[in-house]
Amino acid sequence: MEDSGSGDICRVCRSEGTVDRPLFHPCICTGSIKWIHQECLVQWMRYSHKEFCELCGHRFSFTPIYSPDMPRRLPIRDVAGGLLSSIATAVKYWLHYTIVAIAWLGIVPLTACRIYRCLFNGSVDSVLTLPLDMLSTENIGSDIFHGCFVVTCTLFAFIGLVWLREQILHGGGPDWLEPEQQGNAAGVGGNLQGGLAGGVGGAAGGDGDGGQQAAPAAGVPAQPAEGGGGVGLNAAFAAAQQQLHQHMQQLQQQQNNNLLEPINEEVVPGGEGGVDGLGGGDWNPLEWDRAAEELTWERLLGLDGSLVFLEHVFWVVSLNTLFILVFAFCPYHMGQLAVVAIGVKHLVNASHFQGLVTTLCGYCVIGICLVALHSLAALLSLVKSRRILGHCYVVVKVSLLSVVEIGVLPLVCGWWLDICSLSLFDATLKDREASFRLAPGTSMFIHWLVGMVYVYYFASFVLLLREVLRPGVLWFLRNLNDPDFSPIQEMIHLPIIRHIRRLVSSAMVFGSAVILMLWLPIRILRYMLPNFLPYVVAMQSEAQVNELSLELLLLQVILPALLEQSHTRAWLKALIRVWCVAVSYVLDIKSYLLGDTPPAGGGAAGQQPAAAVPAAPLDEPLIGGGAGGRAVDLAAAHHAMFQRGGPTGFQPYIRPRLFPLRLLCLVILVCCSLVMVSLVALTVPVFLGRKVMVHYPQVTSSGSSGPVHELYTAACGTYICWVTARAVTFVLSWLPQGRRAVTEMLYNWLLVAAKSFIATFLLIVVIPFLSGLLLELVVVMPLRVPLDQTPVLWLWQDWALGVLYTKIVCAVTMMGPEWALRHAIERVYRDGLRNMHLKFVVMELALPVISTLSIALAVPYAIAHSVIPLFISNTFVQVVVARRIYPCVLLLVVLCGLITLQIRQFAKLYEHIKNDKYLVGRRLVNYHHKSTIHQSTAN
């Protein structure tokens, strides 16, 4: 505290300092904001949760003020009392968290598993003995494990229901579920049959971008119009805009009428309205909400120290039982009745997934029953019942469609990929059937995972095509980049028949692509190069250990370096553009394929009407518009007006003569190109990889070089191709800049290469080798090699394992607290190769780590082989010391660390006890500039 002038005021309360409330200057700030009251600063820190100045960043400091009667050293009684109090608090929290863990990780899954088992046993005795089964300790571990899976399923079901409710509230329900006024305004019937029947005619519509339709209306021929330019198109846009404006005015007028005169839609035989005076037409079963206290995760799980979580445990157990009963028990038994009635029970049992298939059949039966009940409710004009049944149908419909699109379709794609690639691995259907019977769950999961990967990359390739092709070419495929695209909203609103047509068309597209890219190239390859196939994917047991280092090198170094590059996508896009330009030039369909803008005016267009007409694709409805009767897609005009300034889903094009024949040639060229590209992808990387992997030091027990897994050869060949393409593109991009620029570039890249070589040698060779060798000596060798055997170190495998350990340590370091090693790793990663500071890498990162690892390796070795023989002459004892010194040193280091940690914790406890008993207050410390301190010291 210092004396301040009369003009100094507090930066918070704008008051001057007094004797009772002096002013302090606790930070680097100067001027009028230099001074502040301690009370004002403490209040500001309490509300802002900051311990530093928000302007200068200086951390505030306080000095404690103790009572005058505080002894110099605390008595043993006070220290023991504080220690016992801390132990009691720790035991209390330990007991509480133990109860929380037992409740959530033991009671909840155990009750879920045993209730599930009780319900599906189908006997009365299991229900009567359920309380005793809950207390049984038999197979408690496996029951808890299976119960965790049941609880996870019920949790996902609950989250899905809540999310589906939010989707319906946000985007509205289907048209047939809305009130009759809204249904009439939109031109849609108010019952479910209307929605389903309307889907039959609308299912043929395109699912792609731009709102285009897939087939023209009957009796409306696509006639080319005479005239030029865009007169007809502009007229169509104007007419569509006027029509939309009138439609919006009608909807607004109807909404105003509904607000002024609410209509009760519920019709009861007695002529009464809704229950308790509430209009049935305004009631929505999804718009429920109740007042509740704010619930945090700590309070929900019991991590706040209270016992309120026991009530939550009870409700979770109850909800688990309810969800098991509603979403598993009832569908399963309904499906079982349906399977028995249809007579396909033997087929269901042969699928090895009898429960899952039966439950899905039960959901289908429930959906059909809901449709029938909804029809009956609509016939009797029971609005509340109709809406409840409609929402239940939406839940069942979305659930089934999600299972089909996420589970069944990728699984079918995975099986189809496997069947079409049997010749590639010299396998048969009997082999796949045998593996499926051996492990059906694993087989299904692997095929589903392969199918998901295939669907993902297929969708990514389609998105890449949309960046090259004219908007509207891929009208038959859904645009995943469309901001208005929502799969859940489409599942809610579109009829089930249209979804079935989509799934069938998607399966046909995926299956055709697999045939063109896998089955047909394999057939051609077996005919042209019979000795090239099959791929080697089954290795002998002796080679598995020898390939461990190669596998880790592939997974940890080569593939991440290849996949993390962004050049591959740019190259693929450039190749697609070159192919499209070449094909469009050969077939004269550049306007259709790449979106050429038609020439303005009517000169050339008047001479060749068939080649100058902006036309929609063949399967789009064409509506005459404008004075010339130009054929224009009105849906595309609607879409263009709604998305002005954004992505456009349709672009006019010029239709040349013999346009269908040209499209047929385009499809044939696409198929031929896919086959050729697949042939190159199946042969070139594997061929190069085989040539390189011949030099890999893998020798079998017989002394001859054994086969290498084709995964490694394909990955190695792909990496070689990528590096070659990267080098070629880099050289071609620098050649036009002249000899001097190329020379400077080569010099800079040689310098970067030299730095990268040194840094790579230190960070990827030396450090992983030392870490792998240290872990081998500390953990692996004492556990695996007996004392009567001589250990053999495989340095190559130690380095490969060290790469994995180093990556794990780096990940843990990046997730840990702030310290020097984390800052060094972050800076090296941020600088990259081009801006690498080699001195920083060596001095701040490589040298400390290498020094620590070298000391950890050298000191125990020197003690075991230089110091111990001076005092102990027994050879066996020397071997024991040499083999066990590394884990003993590790144990000693860990023990010293624990002792240091406990000493620090005891110092904090001592300070806490002293503050609790003798601390009177805290005084703010003023900030003193260094110049002032130096002047006072000189004086």
Side-chain angles (χ1 to χ4, degrees):
M1 178 177 60
E2 294 182 357
D3 296 334
S4 58
S6 58
D8 297 328
I9 58 176
C10 176
R11 62 194 292 183
V12 176
C13 67
R14 316 304 294 175
S15 301
E16 296 182 356
T18 60
V19 179
D20 298 334
R21 299 178 69 237
L23 292 174
F24 296 85
H25 53 92
C27 61
I28 310 178
C29 297
T30 58
S32 60
I33 59 174
K34 175 180 180 180
W35 305 96
I36 193 172
H37 292 116
Q38 180 173 340
E39 297 80 2
C40 299
L41 179 61
V42 171
Q43 186 176 6
W44 177 84
M45 292 173 63
R46 185 182 300 113
Y47 284 101
S48 64
H49 302 286
K50 294 180 181 179
E51 298 181 356
F52 54 87
C53 178
E54 59 182 359
L55 299 179
C56 64
H58 182 75
R59 183 174 295 275
F60 304 116
S61 59
F62 294 84
T63 179
I65 302 176
Y66 294 101
S67 176
D69 59 344
M70 184 189 71
R72 188 170 183 180
R73 292 182 180 179
L74 292 180
I76 300 297
R77 181 178 179 180
D78 296 341
V79 176
L83 184 61
L84 291 176
S85 177
S86 300
I87 293 176
T89 303
V91 170
K92 174 185 175 183
Y93 279 105
W94 178 79
L95 290 175
H96 178 79
Y97 290 137
T98 302
I99 295 174
V100 170
I102 292 175
W104 290 113
L105 300 179
I107 296 176
V108 172
L110 183 64
T111 54
C113 176
R114 294 186 174 177
I115 290 174
Y116 181 88
R117 185 187 304 161
C118 170
L119 290 176
F120 280 88
N121 279 337
S123 62
V124 181
D125 295 337
S126 61
V127 178
L128 295 178
T129 59
L130 179 60
L132 297 178
D133 293 339
M134 292 292 184
L135 302 177
S136 176
T137 58
E138 184 179 359
N139 298 327
I140 188 171
S142 61
D143 288 348
I144 290 176
F145 178 77
H146 291 92
C148 291
F149 178 75
V150 175
V151 172
T152 303
C153 293
T154 56
L155 179 62
F156 276 110
F158 178 75
I159 294 175
L161 284 177
V162 174
W163 186 49
L164 183 59
R165 169 183 175 267
E166 296 297 329
Q167 290 290 326
I168 295 177
L169 291 178
H170 176 70
D175 296 333
W176 49 266
L177 195 59
E178 298 298 324
E180 294 182 0
Q181 288 81 6
Q182 298 180 8
N184 293 333
V188 183
N191 51 37
L192 182 59
Q193 289 78 8
L196 291 175
V200 177
D207 298 332
D209 40 14
Q212 303 176 55
Q213 301 297 323
V220 183
Q223 298 178 357
E226 298 179 359
V231 179
L233 184 62
N234 295 331
F237 270 94
Q241 188 173 9
Q242 183 178 3
Q243 183 179 0
L244 287 177
H245 182 66
Q246 294 176 359
H247 183 66
M248 295 300 294
Q249 286 182 349
Q250 293 177 2
L251 289 178
Q252 184 67 26
Q253 183 66 26
Q254 291 174 359
Q255 291 177 0
N256 295 336
N257 295 336
N258 292 337
L259 292 176
L260 294 176
E261 298 178 2
I263 300 175
N264 185 5
E265 294 182 359
E266 185 71 38
V267 178
V268 185
E272 298 178 357
V275 181
D276 297 333
L278 294 177
D282 297 331
W283 180 78
N284 191 344
L286 292 180
E287 294 178 354
W288 52 269
D289 200 357
R290 63 183 182 91
E293 60 179 349
E294 184 178 356
L295 190 63
T296 60
W297 283 106
E298 289 79 8
R299 188 171 182 82
L300 175 65
L301 300 177
L303 302 179
D304 59 345
S306 64
L307 296 178
V308 184
F309 76 96
L310 295 177
E311 179 185 356
H312 303 153
V313 170
F314 171 76
W315 284 112
V316 168
V317 172
S318 303
L319 287 176
N320 280 334
T321 306
L322 179 63
F323 272 73
I324 292 171
L325 186 64
V326 174
F327 293 99
F329 180 77
C330 295
Y332 174 78
H333 284 81
M334 295 183 69
Q336 195 172 24
L337 294 176
V339 167
V340 172
I342 298 174
V344 293
K345 186 175 181 179
H346 61 285
L347 298 177
V348 174
N349 294 333
S351 66
H352 295 274
F353 296 94
Q354 183 259 347
L356 180 61
V357 175
T358 305
T359 305
L360 291 178
C361 293
Y363 273 103
C364 295
V365 173
I366 291 175
I368 296 173
C369 294
L370 289 174
V371 170
L373 294 175
H374 183 274
S375 304
L376 182 62
L379 184 63
L380 298 178
S381 300
L382 301 177
V383 178
K384 284 187 178 181
S385 303
R386 180 171 61 86
R387 288 186 178 178
I388 293 176
L389 294 172
H391 284 110
C392 293
Y393 170 76
V394 169
V395 172
V396 174
K397 170 187 170 184
V398 172
S399 302
L400 287 175
L401 289 175
S402 300
V403 171
V404 171
E405 291 195 2
I406 299 177
V408 177
L409 183 60
L411 183 62
V412 172
C413 293
W415 277 108
W416 185 239
L417 280 167
D418 193 7
I419 293 173
C420 292
S421 62
L422 289 176
S423 302
L424 190 65
F425 308 108
D426 197 16
T428 60
L429 285 176
K430 292 184 178 180
D431 299 333
R432 295 295 183 261
E433 184 180 359
S435 62
F436 175 77
R437 293 183 181 276
L438 183 64
T442 304
S443 178
M444 295 288 282
F445 174 75
I446 292 176
H447 286 87
W448 174 83
L449 185 62
V450 171
M452 283 294 292
V453 172
Y454 168 68
V455 171
Y456 169 76
Y457 280 107
F458 189 90
S460 302
F461 184 74
V462 171
L463 293 178
L464 187 64
L465 285 178
R466 291 187 183 276
E467 299 179 5
V468 178
L469 301 178
R470 178 188 63 84
V473 175
L474 302 177
W475 56 270
F476 53 91
L477 297 175
R478 284 178 286 185
N479 187 7
L480 302 181
N481 277 341
D482 188 1
D484 297 330
F485 172 71
S486 177
I488 301 298
Q489 291 294 334
E490 290 190 353
M491 291 180 186
I492 294 173
H493 291 86
L494 296 182
I496 191 69
I497 297 180
R498 187 167 182 180
H499 284 291
I500 294 175
R501 293 174 64 92
R502 281 185 171 183
L503 291 173
V504 172
S505 61
S506 300
M508 292 178 61
V509 171
F510 290 146
S512 303
V514 171
I515 292 176
L516 292 174
M517 294 188 299
L518 200 59
W519 183 82
L520 189 57
I522 292 174
R523 294 293 178 181
I524 297 175
L525 191 59
R526 292 182 68 90
Y527 177 77
M528 298 178 61
L529 300 173
N531 297 327
F532 189 80
L533 295 179
Y535 286 169
V536 179
V537 294
M539 302 302 301
Q540 298 178 357
S541 59
E542 301 90 20
Q544 293 178 358
V545 179
N546 294 332
E547 289 186 354
L548 176 62
S549 57
L550 179 62
E551 181 178 355
L552 292 173
L553 178 63
L554 170 68
L555 296 178
Q556 301 297 326
V557 179
I558 296 179
L559 289 184
L562 178 61
L563 297 177
E564 291 177 1
Q565 301 294 330
S566 61
H567 305 284
T568 307
R569 178 180 175 84
W571 294 342
L572 185 59
K573 184 177 179 180
L575 290 176
I576 293 174
R577 186 177 296 276
V578 170
W579 184 90
C580 292
V581 170
V583 170
S584 62
Y585 176 78
V586 172
L587 299 178
D588 193 18
I589 53 172
K590 184 178 180 182
S591 177
Y592 170 78
L593 200 59
L594 299 177
D596 239 358
T597 305
Q607 297 175 4
Q608 298 180 357
V613 178
L618 292 177
D619 295 336
E620 294 177 357
L622 301 177
I623 302 174
R630 177 176 297 276
V632 177
D633 186 2
L634 187 58
H638 281 254
H639 186 78
M641 284 188 295
F642 277 118
Q643 292 192 349
R644 285 182 178 177
T648 304
F650 173 78
Q651 183 176 340
Y653 61 92
I654 300 176
R655 174 180 295 185
R657 291 188 176 92
L658 303 176
F659 186 65
L661 181 60
R662 296 174 190 269
L663 289 184
L664 180 61
C665 296
L666 175 63
V667 173
I668 295 175
L669 287 176
V670 169
C671 297
C672 296
S673 301
L674 286 177
V675 172
M676 294 178 61
V677 171
S678 299
L679 279 173
V680 173
L682 290 173
T683 54
V684 174
V686 175
F687 176 78
L688 294 177
R690 288 176 179 177
K691 294 298 182 181
V692 174
M693 298 304 293
V694 170
H695 306 287
Y696 175 70
Q698 179 193 9
V699 180
T700 60
S701 58
S702 61
S704 59
S705 178
V708 181
H709 200 290
E710 296 296 351
L711 173 65
Y712 309 133
T713 59
C716 182
T718 304
Y719 198 67
I720 292 174
C721 294
W722 180 87
V723 171
T724 304
R726 183 78 179 101
V728 170
T729 55
F730 189 78
V731 170
L732 293 178
S733 63
W734 277 90
L735 283 178
Q737 301 184 16
R739 181 183 300 177
R740 183 175 180 180
V742 173
T743 305
E744 293 180 356
M745 180 270 298
L746 289 177
Y747 173 78
N748 293 331
W749 276 103
L750 287 176
L751 185 61
V752 170
K755 293 181 179 180
S756 302
F757 176 78
I758 297 174
T760 302
F761 179 77
L762 294 176
L763 300 179
I764 302 183
V765 177
V766 178
I767 292 179
F769 173 73
L770 293 177
S771 61
L773 182 60
L774 181 61
L775 195 63
E776 178 84 12
L777 295 174
V778 172
V779 179
V780 179
M781 189 180 297
L783 294 178
R784 297 186 59 180
V785 183
L787 293 175
D788 57 347
Q789 296 181 4
T790 303
V792 178
L793 297 176
W794 299 94
L795 302 183
W796 173 259
Q797 294 185 9
D798 291 340
W799 171 80
L801 292 172
V803 173
L804 177 62
Y805 302 148
T806 304
K807 289 194 66 173
I808 296 175
V809 171
C810 291
V812 173
T813 303
M814 297 300 292
M815 294 185 297
E818 299 284 343
W819 61 306
L821 183 60
R822 177 178 177 178
H823 294 312
I825 295 176
E826 288 178 349
R827 181 176 174 182
V828 170
Y829 182 79
R830 185 174 59 252
D831 292 343
L833 293 178
R834 296 185 180 183
N835 301 323
M836 180 190 301
H837 298 277
L838 185 60
K839 182 178 180 181
F840 177 83
V841 173
V842 174
M843 301 302 296
E844 300 295 334
L845 183 58
L847 186 59
V849 175
I850 292 175
S851 301
T852 303
L853 294 175
S854 301
I855 292 173
L857 287 169
V859 171
Y861 183 85
I863 293 175
H865 293 83
S866 299
V867 179
I868 297 300
L870 298 178
F871 301 96
I872 300 175
S873 59
N874 191 345
T875 306
F876 180 76
V877 176
Q878 292 179 4
V879 172
V880 171
V881 172
R883 298 280 293 277
R884 297 293 185 261
I885 190 171
Y886 284 98
C888 291
V889 169
L890 176 63
L891 183 62
L892 181 62
V893 170
V894 172
L895 185 62
C896 293
L898 291 176
I899 293 174
T900 304
L901 179 63
Q902 294 301 322
I903 291 174
R904 293 180 179 177
Q905 294 296 327
F906 183 78
K908 291 181 180 179
L909 177 63
Y910 184 87
E911 191 73 19
H912 179 69
I913 295 172
K914 183 173 66 173
N915 292 338
D916 285 344
K917 191 166 186 178
Y918 298 103
L919 184 64
V920 177
R922 296 179 182 272
R923 179 178 297 170
L924 189 61
V925 178
N926 290 323
Y927 174 78
H928 296 279
H929 293 275
K930 294 182 180 180
S931 59
T932 307
I933 297 176
H934 291 327
Q935 291 178 4
S936 60
T937 305
N939 295 333

